[in-house]
């Protein structure tokens, strides 16, 4: 894993586009403050909420969650032009789910009404509700997870849903991803400082 375990850090991690970074550092994070929320994810999250099992508390609504992680595997594939934030929050307002059981439905959900993707619709109609219910059955509160550590079990790809706003003082930008390369803010600044120096010294090679 990339970071020390949660029991030592008490931190969660959230990836955002660098387009949202200034707004987040100035004003914090809300579940619906990203440019892509309404257009890409609201209806998908709502489908899971519509199929929530009775044992899940009423305050746990996927469509009102901020999605975070407890850690990342060493070979995690990062998207370019994103930032990784370190977050502190009240774990009593967090719920832990298996992301794998949501991801399997995302493409069928998006493609099912597009011409030529009949099999996506067939899969979704046959298994969608069953998979959504199983997603919730496999979930638990963050408080309970700290005791059971279900996130460490093989095949459980944890996602931590936070159900409160995150103020700026509880957010730290720790990495920038540029061309899939993971850099601290200092490393990123040094990269472009050296690049600028090279521009003014044309005979020297540019090293990325």
């Amino acid at each position: 894993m990339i970071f020390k375990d949660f029991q030592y850090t008490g931190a969660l991690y959230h990836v955002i586009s660098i387009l949202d970074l200034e707004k987040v550092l100035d004003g914090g994070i809300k579940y619906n403050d990203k440019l892509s929320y309404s257009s890409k994810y609201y209806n998908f999250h709502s489908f899971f909420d519509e199929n929530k099992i009775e044992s899940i508390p009423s305050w746990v609504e996927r469509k009102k969650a901020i999605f975070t992680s407890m850690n990342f595997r060493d070979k995690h594939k990062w998207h370019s032009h994103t930032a990784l934030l370190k977050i502190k929050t009240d774990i009593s307002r967090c719920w832990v789910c298996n992301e794998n059981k949501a991801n399997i439905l995302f493409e069928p959900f998006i493609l099912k009404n597009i011409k030529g993707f009949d099999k996506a619709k067939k899969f979704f109609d046959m298994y969608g509700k069953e998979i959504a219910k199983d997603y919730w059955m496999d979930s638990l509160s963050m408080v309970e997870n700290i005791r059971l550590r279900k996130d460490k079990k093989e095949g459980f790809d944890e996602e931590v849903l936070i159900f409160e706003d995150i103020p700026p003082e509880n957010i730290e930008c720790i990495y920038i991803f540029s061309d899939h390369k993971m850099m601290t803010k200092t490393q990123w600044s040094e990269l472009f400082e050296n690049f600028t120096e090279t521009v003014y010294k044309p005979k020297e090679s540019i090293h990325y």
Side-chain angles (χ1 to χ4, degrees):
M1 306 301 280
I2 293 177
F3 303 112
K4 290 183 178 179
D5 191 75
F6 181 86
Q7 65 176 314
Y8 302 112
T9 66
L12 297 172
Y13 303 93
H14 182 62
V15 180
I16 63 169
S17 166
I18 59 173
L19 296 174
D20 293 315
L21 184 58
E22 182 179 14
K23 179 175 66 175
V24 164
L25 294 179
D26 288 343
I29 304 172
K30 295 178 173 58
Y31 74 87
N32 60 352
D33 61 359
K34 305 298 185 301
L35 299 174
S36 59
Y37 177 75
S38 296
S39 61
K40 291 185 178 180
Y41 299 113
Y42 181 83
N43 290 336
F44 180 65
H45 296 331
S46 294
F47 175 78
F48 281 84
D49 290 337
E50 290 163 6
N51 290 281
K52 193 168 67 171
I53 60 176
E54 291 184 0
S55 59
I56 306 299
S58 59
W59 55 268
V60 176
E61 294 183 77
R62 189 176 160 91
K63 64 177 174 288
K64 294 183 179 179
I66 297 169
F67 291 81
T68 64
S69 298
M70 295 176 71
N71 215 326
F72 299 93
R73 293 179 175 84
D74 292 331
K75 294 184 179 180
H76 184 82
K77 294 182 179 179
W78 305 98
H79 294 288
S80 288
H81 317 307
T82 58
L84 180 63
L85 310 178
K86 183 178 180 180
I87 289 172
K88 294 295 180 77
T89 192
D90 177 4
I91 65 169
S92 71
R93 298 296 296 172
C94 298
W95 202 260
V96 182
C97 303
N98 187 348
E99 185 179 8
N100 289 335
K101 294 186 176 181
N103 286 347
I104 193 174
L105 274 186
F106 187 67
E107 288 178 7
F109 182 85
I110 298 300
L111 300 174
K112 60 185 171 63
N113 295 321
I114 298 177
K115 185 177 180 179
F117 289 93
D118 296 343
K119 290 184 178 180
K121 179 173 174 52
K122 182 178 179 180
F123 176 87
F124 186 83
D125 289 346
M126 289 182 64
Y127 302 111
K129 290 184 178 181
E130 178 183 341
I131 291 173
K133 291 181 185 300
D134 188 43
Y135 169 85
W136 291 116
M137 289 177 64
D138 204 22
S139 71
L140 70 170
S141 72
M142 183 65 164
V143 173
E144 187 178 11
N145 185 66
I146 295 304
R147 180 172 59 86
L148 300 177
R149 293 315 300 261
K150 196 169 186 177
D151 61 287
K152 288 183 173 290
K153 293 184 178 180
E154 187 69 27
F156 194 96
D157 187 13
E158 53 81 15
E159 60 178 7
V160 181
L161 282 57
I162 299 177
F163 295 98
E164 64 175 4
D165 295 345
I166 312 298
E169 59 267 25
N170 288 352
I171 301 170
E172 178 186 359
C173 178
I174 55 175
Y175 287 104
I176 298 289
F177 300 98
S178 180
D179 289 331
H180 310 287
K181 184 178 179 181
M182 185 177 188
M183 294 178 285
T184 64
K185 290 191 296 181
T186 299
Q187 290 170 329
W188 186 91
S189 297
E190 290 175 349
L191 172 70
F192 281 88
E193 181 180 4
N194 293 335
F195 180 87
T196 303
E197 290 176 355
T198 304
V199 169
Y200 287 102
K201 300 176 181 178
K203 292 184 180 181
E204 298 181 11
S205 299
I206 300 176
H207 298 286
Y208 294 95

